[in-house]
Amino acid sequence: DEPPRNSGAWLTAPVEGGDIMPARGVFDPYPTFDAVAVDAEAGRAFFTDATLSSLLSYDVTATEGRGGGITEHKTRVLGPDTGIGFIAGADVDSERKEVYAVNNDGGGIVVFGYDQTGAARPVRHFETPHQSWAVSVSPPRNEVAVTVQQLHGLVFYTRDARDMDPPTRSLRGEATGLADPHGVDYDDSRKELVVANHGNWTQLRPYSPYDPLSKTPAAYEPGRFEPPSIRIYPASA
């Protein structure tokens, strides 16, 4: 007889189970770049790689490899100790020689020194909301801005944020015009914040009517598709 589902009886059944390594694997050795961040003074360009969950850097003067081959990277942070998952946006802190990389599907932001490479642990990490995408660092404001798709907004942290430190403030709501924001950049010279919107908007609501946090959910409001846009705010908004 088949044991009841979720009974745990399969643990003693004569079948393979548990944490089993694959017999073989197939993977794409080439990176898929999601974001680029450049420190012109240091001559370094950093790229996030979603295919192999890695963070690469190159000299800004690098050319293609011999015979048109692959350009050799300067550093590549890769491996289970890095805390890199579905990696998305990136930015550099040229004062501290640090690079920030965003995990979109959980895992928050991981921060590495410019010259870290291989299976390196981040110098620090801090949690951000699910579906965070891009990050921008403002040394003059001692602040980090992060876009969050599902919240249709931004959250802000201090540059020294780590672990479970909460945001210092947020920017969201109908009046902002934010809808599935992705790219973000501080223009410190103008004291402005520039945000790129994909334009997809829907309510943030529980996935289940039985969610204990929403015993009296609001009436359903369908989503909408707005034109992609660039929105500009005061840096202190």
Side-chain angles (χ1 to χ4, degrees):
D1 292 338
E2 186 175 323
R5 292 179 65 84
N6 302 323
S7 68
W10 65 273
L11 291 171
T12 57
V15 296
E16 293 287 346
D19 191 4
I20 299 173
M21 293 297 291
R24 59 188 178 279
V26 177
F27 70 95
D28 185 346
Y30 301 109
T32 299
F33 296 137
D34 270 341
V36 58
V38 178
D39 183 338
E41 265 189 36
R44 297 283 286 280
F46 294 86
F47 293 82
T48 59
D49 162 27
T51 297
L52 294 178
S53 300
S54 70
L55 176 69
L56 300 92
S57 79
Y58 299 84
D59 288 319
V60 294
T61 57
T63 58
E64 66 180 7
R66 294 178 182 175
I70 299 173
T71 302
E72 185 64 26
H73 54 264
K74 189 174 182 69
T75 63
R76 187 171 197 176
V77 178
L78 171 71
D81 290 335
T82 64
I84 296 175
F86 175 31
I87 194 170
D91 198 19
V92 293
D93 183 338
S94 57
E95 283 188 0
R96 297 182 175 181
K97 298 295 184 285
E98 292 179 338
V99 55
Y100 289 65
V102 185
N103 285 307
N104 177 252
D105 197 23
I109 288 181
V110 285
V111 184
F112 297 93
Y114 277 14
D115 295 321
Q116 285 186 272
T117 192
R121 291 184 180 275
V123 294
R124 67 183 178 282
H125 133 277
F126 57 96
E127 290 295 333
T128 59
H130 183 238
Q131 290 193 336
S132 295
W133 187 267
V135 59
S136 184
V137 182
S138 172
R141 295 185 56 80
N142 194 36
E143 189 173 67
V144 178
V146 183
T147 57
V148 186
Q149 296 174 259
Q150 197 172 34
L151 289 180
H152 309 299
L154 288 87
V155 287
F156 300 83
Y157 300 84
T158 64
R159 280 199 293 168
D160 294 320
R162 59 176 62 243
D163 302 327
M164 297 296 292
D165 286 350
T168 56
R169 74 180 195 277
S170 65
L171 177 65
R172 58 184 295 234
E174 285 282 350
T176 66
L178 292 168
D180 193 7
H182 277 64
V184 61
D185 195 36
Y186 281 102
D187 183 343
D188 286 320
S189 65
R190 299 172 65 98
K191 297 181 180 178
E192 291 179 341
L193 191 67
V194 184
V195 184
N197 270 321
H198 273 203
N200 311 311
W201 185 93
T202 188
Q203 280 184 309
L204 178 61
R205 53 189 296 112
Y207 291 106
S208 165
Y210 305 107
D211 188 326
L213 299 179
S214 300
K215 294 180 179 177
T216 56
Y220 175 72
E221 184 176 339
R224 60 182 183 268
F225 296 106
E226 298 181 349
S229 64
I230 292 176
R231 307 273 174 166
I232 302 165
Y233 308 90
S236 60

